[in-house]
């Protein structure tokens, strides 16, 4: 089955921060899991390079928007690689192929009668690149997200007849209760739609940095329209000489943060309907990572630097931490202290130590060969149905709950070692069968959890599976008892070594 997952494309007006890394990591977990399931996966991320957010920052720096884009797009690309992210393509909205396709789709929307000339007058936030109603503003006409004072803008624009899509959108939501998840976001989007839709600008007159409107080259396509279309345009040129649209469209999941819900859950499906393109299967929204009370963002200057954390602690630790600490879908605080606590107690102690103890005992008591045995019935029962529930959790994009499901088994295996005390069993030859059972169950349990954890922590789980002599990642084998003993274990070293006197940079 084709599976197409996307992240938002990030503005290149600044360097990537942990908030950007968060969505990209989450999307990578989905992509990796689906590959393990044998699906035909395409995973897209990239950068949003047009519009005021980029043009204004470039002007402030005294460079061209293109230079700013070139400088920062590389940083987003490098961060993805550093976090072991396996995107199949990295789109930049300055790619000529994207720009040509945007012009084509916008022309189609125009030709289908959904565009007219009008005048926009109202508040506009250049950082959101969004038109704001008075009701949305904070005191002093401030943007609720960026806290900057907004000016009233007036200009002649081409408008997209969003209001005409109110009924089709309501119908879409009625027919597809899973179109937007989680449920609270579905409700939020639907009530926004029911509250009445106003037409939106499709172009900007004053700005020059963008895709020229094909029938009026004095204007450029409004950056959000240009940006949203990336999900569609990328498939047409991501592979040389091949158009992947047939194979992967419509997208399985657009993963986004809650700040851009309206664009993805309302404007995006309406645009697609206007262009007679199939709407995505699902838009999934997550919450904010907060530092203290504030949403993490470059402009608020409160950023935990993901490159640094990944370099010092490894990418897996960061991937694990953000998905474990903040219940996926909700807002939640992250902190250097919280990171260190989880690194030590969960990664190093619960998982890392379990792995090194198990391997050491197999080495010492069984000459490095995992014995064959049956796991005890009670423990086996606690692993029953785990693969299915992990698959269901990933289908629902409940990443924190899924990670917890797996982690509960790690804790269970730790209890099992404590209860069985294999080091005592080893002193008594009459307990040889029992010791076989314990060692087999530990090695097999570790194998199963590592296969299931692989999308979350690819590097460490691969190392551990290699040390267990069982590198197969397919989910068919992710059942306790699916693999027999007989493997020769290898060296592992410390999966999560202690980091001396280092704290993630705040
Ligand atoms: O909005 N917590 O780009 P952007 C969680 N270019 N996620 C966060 C976050 C935080 N504190 N901060 C950022 C744009 N994100 C547009 C998108 S898509 C067609 C165009 C993540 O650079 C989250 O995914 O402001 C959020 O939606 C996105 O970065 C916004 O990135």
């Amino acid at each position: 089955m084709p599976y197409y997952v996307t992240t938002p494309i990030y503005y290149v007006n600044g360097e990537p921060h942990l908030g950007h890394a968060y969505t990209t990591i989450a999307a990578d977990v989905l992509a990796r899991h689906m590959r393990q399931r044998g699906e035909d996966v395409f995973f897209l991320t990239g950068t949003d390079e047009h519009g005021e957010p980029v043009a204004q920052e470039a002007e402030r720096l005294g460079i061209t928007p293109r230079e700013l884009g070139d400088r920062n797009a590389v940083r987003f690309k490098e961060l993805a690689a550093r976090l072991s992210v396996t995107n199949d393509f990295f789109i930049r909205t300055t790619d000529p192929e994207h720009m040509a396709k945007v012009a084509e789709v916008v022309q189609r929307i125009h030709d289908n009668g959904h565009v007219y000339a009008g005048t926009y007058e109202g508040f506009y936030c250049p950082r959101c690149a969004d038109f704001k109603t008075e009701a949305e503003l904070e005191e002093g006409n401030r943007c609720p997200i960026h806290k900057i004072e907004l000016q009233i803008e007036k200009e002649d624009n081409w408008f997209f007849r969003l209001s005409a899509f109110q009924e089709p959108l309501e119908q879409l939501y009625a027919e597809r209760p899973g179109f937007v998840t989680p449920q609270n976001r579905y409700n939020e989007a639907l009530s926004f739609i029911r509250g009445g839709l106003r037409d939106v600008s499709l172009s900007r007159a004053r700005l020059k940095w963008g895709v020229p409107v094909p029938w009026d080259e004095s204007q450029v396509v409004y950056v959000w329209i240009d940006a949203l279309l990336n999900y569609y345009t990328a498939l047409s040129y991501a592979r040389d000489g091949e158009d992947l649209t047939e194979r992967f469209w419509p997208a399985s999941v657009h993963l986004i943060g809650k700040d851009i819900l309206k664009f993805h859950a309302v404007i995006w499906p309406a645009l697609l309907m206007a262009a007679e393109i199939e709407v995505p299967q699902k838009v999934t929204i997550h919450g904010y990572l907060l530092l203290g009370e504030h949403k993490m963002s470059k402009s608020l200057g409160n950023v935990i630097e993901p490159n640094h954390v990944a370099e010092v602690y490894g990418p897996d630790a960061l991937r694990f931490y953000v998905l474990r600490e903040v219940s996926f879908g909700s807002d939640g605080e992250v902190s250097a202290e919280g990171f260190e606590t989880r690194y030590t107690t969960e990664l190093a102690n619960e998982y890392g130590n379990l792995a090194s103890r198990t391997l050491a005992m197999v080495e010492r008591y069984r000459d490095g060969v995992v014995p064959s045995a049956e796991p005890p019935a009670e423990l086996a029962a606690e692993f029953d149905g785990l693969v299915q529930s992990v698959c269901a959790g990933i289908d629902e994009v409940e990443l924190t709950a899924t990670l917890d499901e797996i982690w509960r088994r790690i804790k269970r295996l730790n209890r099992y070692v404590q209860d069985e005390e294999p080091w005592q069993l080893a002193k008594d030859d009459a307990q040889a069968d029992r010791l076989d059972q314990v060692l087999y169950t530990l090695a097999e349990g570790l194998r199963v959890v590592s296969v299931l954890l692989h999308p979350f922590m690819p590097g460490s789980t691969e190392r551990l599976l290699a040390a267990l002599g069982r590198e197969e990642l397919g989910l068919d084998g992710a059942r306790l008892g699916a693999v027999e003993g007989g493997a020769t274990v290898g060296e592992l070293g410390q999966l999560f070594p202690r980091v001396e006197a280092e704290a993630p940079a705040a």
Side-chain angles (χ1 to χ4, degrees):
M1 289 269 286
Y3 183 84
Y4 178 27
V5 57
T6 67
T7 73
I9 47 170
Y10 307 112
Y11 284 130
V12 286
N13 57 352
E15 292 183 33
H17 59 66
L18 191 62
H20 303 122
Y22 183 51
T23 320
T24 307
I25 289 169
D28 190 55
V29 170
L30 300 180
R32 283 179 177 271
H33 168 91
M34 288 300 171
R35 288 190 203 109
Q36 273 184 299
R37 236 149 110 170
E39 309 297 10
D40 183 21
V41 173
F42 196 82
F43 168 18
L44 179 72
T45 187
T47 42
D48 188 355
E49 307 197 5
H50 290 134
E52 270 109 337
V54 179
Q56 286 195 348
E57 178 62 10
E59 194 179 319
R60 200 183 65 79
L61 294 170
I63 57 177
T64 64
R66 185 171 297 280
E67 282 167 338
L68 183 58
D70 288 346
R71 181 187 296 178
N72 282 325
V74 174
R75 292 177 172 149
F76 279 94
K77 255 189 202 172
E78 285 175 353
L79 178 61
R82 180 162 284 161
L83 297 176
S84 314
V85 166
T86 55
N87 53 300
D88 294 288
F89 188 59
F90 189 100
I91 188 170
R92 299 180 58 183
T93 53
T94 45
D95 292 343
E97 299 92 335
H98 165 79
M99 293 176 67
K101 199 84 184 171
V102 167
E104 193 184 304
V105 177
V106 165
Q107 181 73 55
R108 204 180 323 153
I109 294 172
H110 172 270
D111 295 348
N112 285 345
H114 303 300
V115 176
Y116 64 95
T119 304
Y120 176 78
E121 183 165 11
F123 288 99
Y124 182 79
C125 174
R127 294 275 271 284
C128 296
D130 193 11
F131 305 92
K132 306 276 178 187
T133 62
E134 279 184 41
E136 286 175 302
L137 297 186
E138 289 185 355
E139 223 182 286
N141 297 332
R142 288 179 187 278
C143 165
I145 296 171
H146 295 98
K147 315 290 177 199
I148 51 173
E149 193 182 335
L150 305 187
Q151 308 300 328
I152 296 225
E153 294 225 356
K154 183 173 180 191
E155 64 173 39
D156 293 335
N157 288 166
W158 292 97
F159 277 73
F160 169 55
R161 228 180 271 284
L162 181 63
S163 57
F165 289 89
Q166 172 145 357
E167 225 182 277
L169 284 171
E170 285 184 20
Q171 199 179 337
L172 170 71
Y173 274 67
E175 283 166 7
R176 305 255 303 269
F179 180 65
V180 173
T181 68
Q183 185 69 38
N184 60 335
R185 300 294 171 199
Y186 170 96
N187 296 342
E188 187 181 329
L190 184 56
S191 73
F192 182 84
I193 295 165
R194 286 189 177 144
L197 297 178
R198 296 196 321 179
D199 294 343
V200 292
S201 292
L202 180 115
S203 69
R204 304 289 322 230
R206 211 163 302 150
L207 195 69
K208 297 291 165 244
W209 181 235
V211 178
V213 172
W215 63 90
D216 172 7
E217 300 229 330
S218 72
Q219 302 217 11
V220 296
V221 174
Y222 171 40
V223 62
W224 266 103
I225 309 264
D226 168 359
L228 285 164
L229 282 167
N230 92 88
Y231 305 127
Y232 180 71
T233 65
L235 293 177
S236 68
Y237 72 96
R239 290 285 166 273
D240 271 348
E242 199 183 351
D243 190 330
L244 300 173
T245 315
E246 272 285 295
R247 185 159 143 207
F248 289 108
W249 195 262
S252 312
V253 189
H254 292 311
L255 204 56
I256 59 163
K258 67 178 190 182
D259 48 341
I260 53 180
L261 169 84
K262 178 185 72 181
F263 293 104
H264 285 81
V266 182
I267 299 179
W268 178 224
L271 273 180
L272 289 170
M273 290 179 194
E276 296 170 291
I277 299 171
E278 213 177 324
V279 301
Q281 290 172 30
K282 186 154 86 176
V283 179
T284 296
I285 290 103
H286 64 67
Y288 286 157
L289 297 185
L290 309 168
L291 278 172
E293 299 281 286
H294 299 289
K295 178 188 173 212
M296 186 181 307
S297 74
K298 189 78 191 162
S299 50
L300 295 175
N302 55 0
V303 181
I304 287 186
E305 214 292 290
N307 283 292
H308 178 76
V309 181
E311 195 177 306
V312 177
Y313 293 86
D316 288 2
L318 185 67
R319 295 169 64 109
F320 170 80
Y321 175 67
V322 288
L323 294 175
R324 179 105 171 121
E325 183 79 347
V326 177
S327 179
F328 200 74
S330 311
D331 292 352
E333 269 189 56
V334 290
S335 68
E337 299 74 41
F339 174 85
E340 286 182 351
T341 302
R342 287 204 187 267
Y343 183 84
T344 306
T345 58
E346 298 186 325
L347 292 179
N349 293 347
E350 291 175 357
Y351 188 48
N353 278 352
L354 178 68
S356 37
R357 280 169 111 180
T358 300
L359 291 165
M361 289 191 290
V362 170
E363 190 63 56
R364 189 170 326 136
Y365 305 138
R366 292 295 178 263
D367 290 329
V369 177
V370 177
S372 282
E374 286 290 317
E378 193 201 338
L379 191 139
E382 291 181 46
F383 275 72
D384 265 0
L386 179 59
V387 192
Q388 289 81 350
S389 90
V390 165
C391 290
I394 296 283
D395 285 340
E396 297 301 319
V397 201
E398 286 172 351
L399 301 182
T400 307
T402 304
L403 186 50
D404 190 56
E405 274 275 300
I406 306 169
W407 211 262
R408 283 195 348 243
R409 278 33 178 225
I410 293 181
K411 288 182 189 278
R412 180 67 184 90
L413 292 170
N414 273 304
R415 265 205 331 274
Y416 180 62
V417 192
Q418 292 308 328
D419 292 349
E420 295 295 324
E421 299 188 314
W423 46 92
Q424 298 295 352
L425 298 176
K427 291 180 187 159
D428 180 357
D429 285 346
Q431 299 285 0
D433 285 352
R434 181 77 181 247
L435 182 58
D436 279 350
Q437 180 183 50
V438 174
L439 296 178
Y440 170 74
T441 303
L442 289 174
E444 181 63 359
L446 267 175
R447 185 189 65 78
V448 168
V449 294
S450 300
V451 169
L452 294 172
L453 271 181
H454 179 258
F456 295 89
M457 302 201 286
S460 344
T461 51
E462 265 170 37
R463 270 177 63 198
L464 176 49
L465 288 168
L468 287 168
R470 302 289 186 196
E471 292 174 67
E472 180 51 50
L473 285 174
L475 289 188
D476 294 343
R479 193 173 44 75
L480 195 75
V483 168
E484 294 190 358
T488 302
V489 301
E491 270 297 309
L492 180 63
Q494 289 282 331
L495 265 189
F496 299 99
R498 182 200 285 276
V499 174
E500 294 296 341
E502 243 302 5

